[in-house]
Amino acid sequence: MKTILKAQNIIKSYKMGKTQLDVLRGADLSVQEGQFVAVIGASGSGKSTLLHILGALDKPDSGSVLYQSQCLDSLRWGKLNHYRNKTVGFVFQFYHLLDELTVLENAMAPAMASVSTVGWPSRKPKVMEKAHQLLDRFGLKDRLKHKPYELSGGERQRVAIARALINQPPLLLADEPTGNLDSQTGHGILEVLKELNAEGQTIVMVTHDERIAAQAGRTIRLLDGKVQE
């Protein structure tokens, strides 16, 4: 299989007052196209930090991340934004939906952000059609005009997944996507992710739950700031 994403010797620490907290201590990770990878570790092990670095939401102190053999450090601001917007789709534990927007508008937001104000009117019909398809697929066709605070946790997470997929990214990064849900609702979200993976979507998911990690095709562990298969 083709390697789509590679992290090499990632080191990351944070200052907490006079104390330095070493989170990642030379983490390595290789993800092949079409894989569903679960990264498991205890709270504070650096799972989310690693995911944010993979998605270019954070930078390592040293080490490198390569997407299709291109180092993210070499990308200029515009291309790095393109990577975050078009190449990677993000799903977060706490959804990060905008309460002032409807379900439909939230799902379309990344596509709206990727074009100019002048270019949006011509793009809008296709984006809206795609958003309708995704939200319908995830059982939300009757919630399009609702605001996020009017939805259940599971519904909000499905909106977040639709938003993550609106630009058809090759890579989906999920940070504890079931962590804020009850077990039954979380199982439904996992089934959505497994179905997407079966269709070819590459997914990297972090979790602290062994049962959830077991649903992925491959599981790796973060221990003492390093990755272990």
Side-chain angles (χ1 to χ4, degrees):
M1 287 188 291
K2 178 182 176 182
T3 298
I4 189 173
L5 188 69
K6 193 168 189 178
Q8 299 175 316
N9 196 30
I10 300 297
I11 294 174
K12 183 70 177 180
S13 60
Y14 296 99
K15 289 283 189 181
M16 299 185 69
K18 296 182 179 180
T19 303
Q20 178 171 296
L21 180 63
D22 298 321
V23 180
L24 298 174
R25 306 177 183 182
D28 297 295
L29 175 64
S30 182
V31 179
Q32 278 70 52
E33 197 171 39
Q35 281 191 323
F36 185 177
V37 180
V39 181
I40 190 167
S43 178
S45 64
K47 305 183 301 298
S48 293
T49 298
L50 177 60
L51 202 74
H52 291 172
I53 289 172
L54 294 177
L57 297 180
D58 199 356
K59 287 187 174 182
D61 297 332
S62 63
S64 57
V65 175
L66 294 88
Y67 175 76
Q68 293 186 343
S69 300
Q70 184 170 33
C71 184
L72 298 188
D73 282 346
S74 70
L75 298 181
R76 294 189 176 184
W77 181 81
K79 288 193 174 181
L80 201 57
N81 270 347
H82 183 275
Y83 174 79
R84 297 186 190 108
N85 183 262
K86 293 290 186 70
T87 302
V88 181
F90 296 95
V91 180
F92 301 100
Q93 177 178 354
F94 295 105
Y95 326 123
H96 293 334
L97 301 175
L98 299 174
D99 277 342
E100 64 270 25
L101 300 183
T102 65
V103 164
L104 182 61
E105 291 166 341
N106 267 286
M108 294 194 300
M112 293 173 67
S114 67
V115 296
S116 66
T117 304
V118 175
W120 175 240
S122 63
R123 284 284 311 279
K124 184 177 179 179
K126 285 190 176 181
V127 173
M128 185 173 288
E129 181 183 1
K130 178 65 175 175
H132 273 274
Q133 289 172 353
L134 286 167
L135 293 167
D136 189 12
R137 173 179 180 173
F138 298 147
L140 295 162
K141 67 178 180 179
D142 295 327
R143 297 285 191 270
L144 301 183
K145 295 182 180 180
H146 285 62
K147 298 293 180 66
Y149 54 81
E150 298 176 298
L151 306 178
S152 68
E155 288 172 331
R156 277 178 276 181
Q157 193 61 290
R158 293 200 295 276
V159 175
I161 294 173
R163 178 187 60 190
L165 296 173
I166 193 67
N167 284 332
Q168 298 177 288
L171 180 64
L172 190 65
L173 301 180
D175 188 359
E176 297 275 10
T178 64
N180 204 35
L181 305 171
D182 62 74
S183 58
Q184 183 176 352
T185 306
H187 176 75
I189 295 300
L190 271 176
E191 289 302 311
V192 168
L193 295 178
K194 287 165 66 177
E195 185 177 305
L196 290 168
N197 177 245
E199 295 170 0
Q201 180 71 57
T202 305
I203 302 173
V204 180
M205 173 184 70
V206 303
T207 180
H208 65 276
D209 193 318
E210 296 273 359
R211 294 169 300 174
I212 291 170
Q215 300 294 312
R218 173 183 166 211
T219 301
I220 65 172
R221 294 179 182 277
L222 261 180
L223 184 65
D224 299 326
K226 293 186 177 182
V227 170
Q228 299 182 343
E229 287 284 348

